[in-house]
Amino acid sequence: METSTAGGNPIISEEQALVEQRRLEALLEITSSHNKEVQGLKSQLEAAEKNVMKFSVQAKSLDGEIKSLRAQNPDRMKKQVKRLQEQNRVLTAENNTLKSKQKQLQQQVQNLTLELEKAQAEQKKEEAVS
């Protein structure tokens, strides 16, 4: 339902304008929620990276403690070494889990970024067509 002005320029009907307005609002809402989700994933990723660093420092500290115990007392050292080795296994497992989670989050951030770029490109394309 287009009408023409005297100059021949098409005028979008109110109904088409309303549909276009709703579509743009929906795109803006999708973009906004996507940005929030990306920000949340980035925050999770940063937290996971901080934990990885913390566990790495802890593991190095435990290695230093083992060396110091070896010099002090062989019997006590054996018990302490076992305890520290178990702690190290637990920390290593947690570290590996966090690394896996970090990779997943990075992939999600990449996927969401691509989706956002596609949505923005589509929006620009549709705006150009309008």
Side-chain angles (χ1 to χ4, degrees):
M1 291 194 145
E2 292 184 355
T3 60
S4 295
T5 62
N9 295 329
I11 298 175
I12 298 175
S13 70
E14 287 182 34
E15 185 177 308
Q16 287 176 327
L18 184 59
V19 168
E20 182 66 16
Q21 178 66 28
R22 287 184 181 150
R23 187 183 63 74
L24 289 174
E25 287 173 357
L27 281 172
L28 288 173
E29 185 177 325
I30 289 168
T31 301
S32 175
S33 74
H34 174 75
N35 287 341
K36 287 178 185 176
E37 188 173 342
V38 167
Q39 190 60 36
L41 289 172
K42 283 182 180 179
S43 296
Q44 288 178 3
L45 178 61
E46 289 171 2
E49 287 173 343
K50 285 179 185 177
N51 282 337
V52 166
M53 293 299 292
K54 182 176 96 175
F55 289 135
S56 294
V57 168
Q58 242 179 341
K60 288 178 184 176
S61 171
L62 291 174
D63 286 340
E65 191 176 337
I66 287 172
K67 289 177 185 175
S68 135
L69 288 171
R70 283 186 181 142
Q72 291 177 4
N73 184 342
D75 290 333
R76 183 176 165 214
M77 184 244 351
K78 287 178 185 177
K79 291 178 185 176
Q80 198 69 351
V81 164
K82 286 182 183 180
R83 181 186 65 80
L84 293 173
Q85 286 173 335
E86 181 58 30
Q87 281 182 345
N88 196 27
R89 276 191 288 275
V90 169
L91 290 173
T92 300
E94 287 180 32
N95 195 14
N96 289 335
T97 301
L98 288 172
K99 284 180 182 179
S100 296
K101 180 70 174 176
Q102 179 182 4
K103 286 180 184 177
Q104 290 173 349
L105 290 173
Q106 286 174 331
Q107 185 62 43
Q108 285 179 339
V109 166
Q110 287 175 340
N111 290 342
L112 289 172
T113 301
L114 286 174
E115 285 180 33
L116 176 61
E117 288 172 359
K118 285 179 185 176
Q120 288 174 339
E122 184 179 308
Q123 184 179 5
K124 286 180 182 178
K125 183 178 178 182
E126 290 174 0
E127 287 174 0
V129 170
S130 299

